Amino acid sequence: SAVISQKPSRDICQRGTSLTIQCQVDSQVTMMFWYRQQPGQSLTLIATANQGSEATYESGFVIDKFPISRPNLTFSTLTVSNMSPEDSSIYLCSVGPSGLAGRETQYFGPGTRLLVL
Amino acid sequence: DAKTTQPPSMDCAEGRAANLPCNHSTISGNEYVYWYRQIHSQGPQYIIHGLKNNETNEMASLIITEDRKSSTLILPHATLRDTAVYYCIAATYSGAGSYQLTFGKGTKLSVIP
């Protein structure tokens, strides 16, 4: 399985500011995904990030609010822009298949816990 | 993705087998059944997945009915560390690395000493 790290692990931010979350993988992966988990809720997919192309956003999520970068096959960032208290959530990245048979599995990072005051 | 239905909560005695059911009556032929678990707001942990055959690994067994409309995740000897929310997901794998997991509410499993 892939080893995934996220930075920061947690943060407390003021409304109106932006936070960039980093996701680093220990091996090259095709697909990276960003999820949000609001307090007491399940995970919701924000967007899918493929290296070398624009991220694909799910309904209800827009690039201006959650810009994503995917500069190479091991790294991605998610920015939460112009934050409000409703953005307080755990943000998780996951990585998709490596293209090898039998590796059709997503592995998740530890998450970034964000509190917006 | 097909919608899945799971009981909101279950209890299991430590050392006993935990059998977690999942209904996915609208699953299509190319959708896999995945199981993940999430221990107290950590990142979800992959457990097992299958298409139509039963699967077993070091963590669990997955039993899929012949009509694929339901499945059961079996933790053979539950421990306190297995207390978590368990998610059953039906996901389409395109073969081009393009697929996604749609998480429902899951089943909160409590393992009781």
Side-chain angles (χ1 to χ4, degrees):
Chain A
S1 65
V3 176
I4 305 160
S5 61
Q6 287 186 233
K7 289 182 181 180
S9 60
R10 61 181 66 236
D11 208 340
I12 301 173
C13 300
Q14 297 298 318
R15 68 173 65 209
T17 63
S18 298
L19 176 72
T20 295
I21 302 168
Q22 300 179 4
C23 179
Q24 180 76 52
V25 192
D26 68 341
S27 58
Q28 294 184 340
V29 293
T30 307
M31 308 292 288
M32 295 182 82
F33 305 85
W34 287 98
Y35 291 81
R36 179 176 74 180
Q37 187 171 30
Q38 294 176 300
Q41 303 297 312
S42 187
L43 283 77
T44 302
L45 180 66
I46 298 172
T48 302
N50 217 349
Q51 192 269 335
S53 62
E54 296 272 339
T56 302
Y57 289 82
E58 297 300 305
S59 176
F61 297 96
V62 295
I63 188 170
D64 290 345
K65 176 67 174 176
F66 299 101
I68 288 172
S69 76
R70 180 82 200 273
N72 57 51
L73 290 172
T74 63
F75 186 78
S76 178
T77 66
L78 169 76
T79 299
V80 186
S81 303
N82 188 26
M83 288 183 286
S84 68
E86 291 71 37
D87 294 318
S88 298
S89 296
I90 301 173
Y91 292 86
L92 298 124
C93 74
S94 71
V95 300
S98 67
L100 299 176
R103 298 279 296 274
E104 315 93 347
T105 300
Q106 274 189 37
Y107 295 100
F108 285 80
T112 294
R113 286 148 186 78
L114 171 62
L115 177 63
V116 184
L117 302 177
Chain B
D1 293 344
K3 183 180 171 67
T4 61
T5 305
Q6 299 177 252
S9 64
M10 291 181 63
D11 291 340
C12 177
E14 188 178 16
R16 296 293 192 112
N19 296 281
L20 291 90
C22 178
N23 285 317
H24 32 79
S25 58
T26 61
I27 196 169
S28 62
N30 64 349
E31 288 183 316
Y32 283 79
V33 178
Y34 281 81
W35 284 84
Y36 283 79
R37 72 182 182 185
Q38 189 174 29
I39 298 172
H40 191 54
S41 297
Q42 297 177 19
Q45 177 187 23
Y46 166 78
I47 301 174
I48 199 166
H49 75 287
L51 187 61
K52 50 186 171 183
N53 297 323
N54 297 336
E55 302 287 344
T56 295
N57 62 21
E58 65 279 3
M59 288 184 68
S61 295
L62 173 60
I63 309 298
I64 303 174
T65 58
E66 194 169 339
D67 63 8
R68 299 205 339 118
K69 292 185 177 182
S70 66
S71 61
T72 301
L73 178 74
I74 302 173
L75 308 179
H77 305 287
T79 71
L80 299 179
R81 287 178 295 180
D82 292 322
T83 293
V85 178
Y86 287 76
Y87 296 100
C88 169
I89 301 162
T92 301
Y93 177 58
S94 70
S98 178
Y99 73 107
Q100 64 189 49
L101 306 176
T102 302
F103 285 78
K105 297 185 184 299
T107 295
K108 179 164 175 54
L109 175 69
S110 298
V111 180
I112 313 296

